[in-house]
Amino acid sequence: MATTTSLEMPQEEKVWGGGNEPMKASYGKLMMWFFLISDALTFSGFLTAYGLMRFKYEPSWPVAERVFTHFPGIEGDQPLLYVALMTFILIVSSVTMVLAVHEGRHNKKTRVGLWMIATIVGGAIFLGSQAWEWYHFIVGDSGAVEVVFSDEMGRQTMRPADAEGNFISLGDLVHGDAAGGHGHHEHFSIEQVRDAFAGGEYQLRQPGKAGMTLDHEASLAMLNSDNAMVIHGANMTRNEYGHQQFANFFFFITGFHGFHVFSGVILNFIIFYNVMLGTYQRRGHYEMVEKVGLYWHFVDLVWVFVFTFFYLV
Amino acid sequence: MSDNHAHGGVRRLIIVFFILLVVTAVEVGLGIVKPAFLMGEVFGFTSWLNIIFIVLTLFKAYFIVEAFMHLEGEKKSLRLTIYLPILILIPYLTFILLTEGSYLYGA
């Protein structure tokens, strides 16, 4: 009888009248998608705000490849290599996740578990890499000085440069170029920097692409004022690489993304545990793996954009 | 459609993986070399290199969403439900950024 009534109904009510899945996706999967849409909008808001501040403070905005230059085990400047490795790790863990989903469609419990463990390990390696990058960002590299630039521009991060305008580190400034190759963990006082600066044709330059360069006398006058200070590394109030907003956005956006990765690893582990208990085998389908997989791929998707807008552009 | 996925699925995923890998390698290569002929300013606010980066990023995002998140196998109504809000709201936000950002620059 139910069949006869539904046959008489207009087409729309048959599809959207309830009791079936008009989009051929379960409630849980739809809700995961809707959450991911809202999360995508959140991240696009953050990245847009980043871009807005970057436009506003262009002269003092750090050039990312001068900021993230370390690679474990290799000396010297290696721009982009480390973050490329992080991207690679996340893409690989995305592939292992999708292979777990694939095996889930064939109800192969052990294989789902193995691919999920590979995904969890990939996520953990990514988190470790991020911690390593944060460490180097916070400790700092070449050091800089903060001076009161003018009434309108307030305090500005400035980096010493040689007579040709090439940036030099505080270590090279104080010890002289010839000494070279000393650890970047050495800290200097403002007096050391003043003395070394006065002893050569050095200038102060803004760290951005189109940053201003001050001549030697103007630089020295700023350095000699009472409120000049040396900064090493970056935190929420000081940033040796350039404008303070850069450090704040770096901590916030990569931190927010890293927190997503962290949650993803926890969720993956819970689902992995259930897989091994045989929960989904008994249920007859592995849709939970698919849902957590959607979240995991989204984390990879966001990283692709963070990679572009933070490190490349 | 799901049968197709079952047989050719893994092979396609590996192909997509290599696409993502190669595109990322190209991006990193361009980012390190920074070819001079791509560095000139276009449209008054960015360089050809940055435009290439953004296009390649959208290219990668397309493959992640379609292949890894398997949106290519979903119904049209679900695809539109997911794509439309994103494709309308994010370009709108970007438009605001590009117009207001240039205003803030002088302020």
Side-chain angles (χ1 to χ4, degrees):
Chain A
M1 195 181 133
T3 355
T4 28
T5 23
S6 76
L7 273 175
E8 287 156 16
M9 279 182 182
Q11 188 69 20
E12 292 93 309
E13 278 189 51
K14 240 170 61 182
V15 179
W16 297 97
N20 63 350
E21 292 171 352
M23 288 177 172
K24 296 279 176 287
S26 70
Y27 174 80
K29 211 166 141 184
L30 275 184
M31 291 307 125
M32 179 53 89
W33 270 114
F34 293 158
F35 164 68
L36 295 183
I37 291 171
S38 69
D39 220 17
L41 294 174
T42 307
F43 271 107
S44 71
F46 292 155
L47 285 174
T48 310
Y50 169 85
L52 195 68
M53 286 301 113
R54 186 176 166 160
F55 264 114
K56 184 161 167 62
Y57 299 116
E58 206 173 6
S60 53
W61 204 259
V63 183
E65 74 235 30
R66 286 199 209 117
V67 178
F68 308 101
T69 56
H70 299 287
F71 196 91
I74 307 180
E75 284 290 317
D77 280 2
Q78 304 295 335
L80 284 178
L81 268 198
Y82 189 69
V83 75
L85 177 73
M86 284 168 74
T87 310
F88 174 74
I89 291 165
L90 212 53
I91 290 177
V92 169
S93 85
S94 224
V95 174
T96 56
M97 184 77 234
V98 85
L99 288 171
V101 173
H102 185 82
E103 296 299 344
R105 290 216 169 96
H106 302 286
N107 286 314
K108 299 220 171 74
K109 179 178 137 182
T110 323
R111 288 194 186 185
V112 175
L114 282 175
W115 285 123
M116 287 214 67
I117 266 293
T119 310
I120 292 165
V121 169
I125 295 176
F126 180 86
L127 284 174
S129 316
Q130 207 167 33
W132 191 88
E133 192 174 60
W134 273 47
Y135 167 77
H136 278 271
F137 185 73
I138 291 168
V139 164
D141 191 8
S142 27
V145 290
E146 197 182 271
V147 293
V148 173
F149 198 84
S150 63
D151 284 345
E152 311 95 68
M153 292 176 71
R155 300 185 73 85
Q156 293 278 322
T157 299
M158 303 291 281
R159 285 192 58 189
D162 60 18
E164 284 85 48
N166 304 313
F167 289 119
I168 54 173
S169 69
L170 290 186
D172 286 345
L173 178 74
V174 173
H175 296 299
D177 283 338
H182 19 251
H184 45 262
H185 300 298
E186 193 180 352
H187 281 215
F188 302 102
S189 68
I190 187 73
E191 286 77 23
Q192 278 178 296
V193 173
R194 276 172 188 155
D195 290 347
F197 202 90
E201 269 306 302
Y202 298 112
Q203 338 175 46
L204 285 182
R205 193 180 153 191
Q206 277 186 300
K209 260 178 197 156
M212 256 181 278
T213 310
L214 300 172
D215 61 30
H216 185 68
E217 280 68 36
S219 305
L220 206 53
M222 272 185 196
L223 268 183
N224 284 332
S225 81
D226 287 341
N227 36 34
M229 64 183 284
V230 173
I231 36 180
H232 287 284
N235 52 43
M236 298 303 280
T237 48
R238 299 276 180 272
N239 175 14
E240 70 155 51
Y241 308 98
H243 200 278
Q244 184 54 42
Q245 288 285 348
F246 178 85
N248 293 359
F249 272 110
F250 174 78
F251 288 130
F252 193 74
I253 296 181
T254 65
F256 196 63
H257 176 265
F259 185 67
H260 273 73
V261 179
F262 176 73
S263 327
V265 170
I266 301 286
L267 289 175
N268 277 343
F269 188 79
I270 294 169
I271 301 301
F272 163 77
Y273 191 71
N274 279 336
V275 167
M276 293 332 271
L277 284 181
T279 311
Y280 307 124
Q281 201 72 35
R282 282 194 296 278
R283 196 178 286 175
H285 60 82
Y286 279 80
E287 205 190 65
M288 256 346 247
V289 178
E290 230 170 288
K291 280 181 248 179
V292 84
L294 283 179
Y295 179 75
W296 190 253
H297 297 313
F298 175 76
V299 166
D300 182 30
L301 182 70
V302 169
W303 180 256
V304 164
F305 283 91
V306 172
F307 172 64
T308 300
F309 291 109
F310 245 99
Y311 299 93
L312 288 177
V313 167
Chain B
M1 204 174 287
S2 61
D3 262 353
N4 184 19
H5 181 80
H7 296 301
V10 173
R11 196 159 160 259
R12 169 155 161 76
L13 294 175
I14 300 299
I15 292 171
V16 169
F17 168 65
F18 277 105
I19 291 174
L20 295 178
L21 205 61
V22 168
V23 172
T24 307
V26 168
E27 283 183 332
V28 171
L30 282 174
I32 291 174
V33 175
K34 285 191 178 292
F37 68 98
L38 291 173
M39 298 304 288
E41 199 166 271
V42 283
F43 308 130
F45 63 90
T46 191
S47 63
W48 279 118
L49 188 65
N50 286 352
I51 291 173
I52 291 174
F53 283 148
I54 291 166
V55 169
L56 289 179
T57 302
L58 293 175
F59 183 74
K60 285 202 286 189
Y62 174 81
F63 276 105
I64 291 174
V65 174
E66 289 287 316
F68 287 177
M69 298 171 99
H70 198 59
L71 206 53
E72 62 196 356
E74 305 292 354
K75 277 196 76 172
K76 198 182 171 191
S77 57
L78 179 56
R79 288 168 61 86
L80 288 177
T81 308
I82 291 159
Y83 273 127
L84 282 184
I86 298 290
L87 291 183
I88 292 170
L89 291 174
I90 294 179
Y92 175 63
L93 202 61
T94 315
F95 167 75
I96 300 281
L97 161 75
L98 292 178
T99 51
E100 300 303 305
S102 56
Y103 167 74
L104 276 179
Y105 185 68

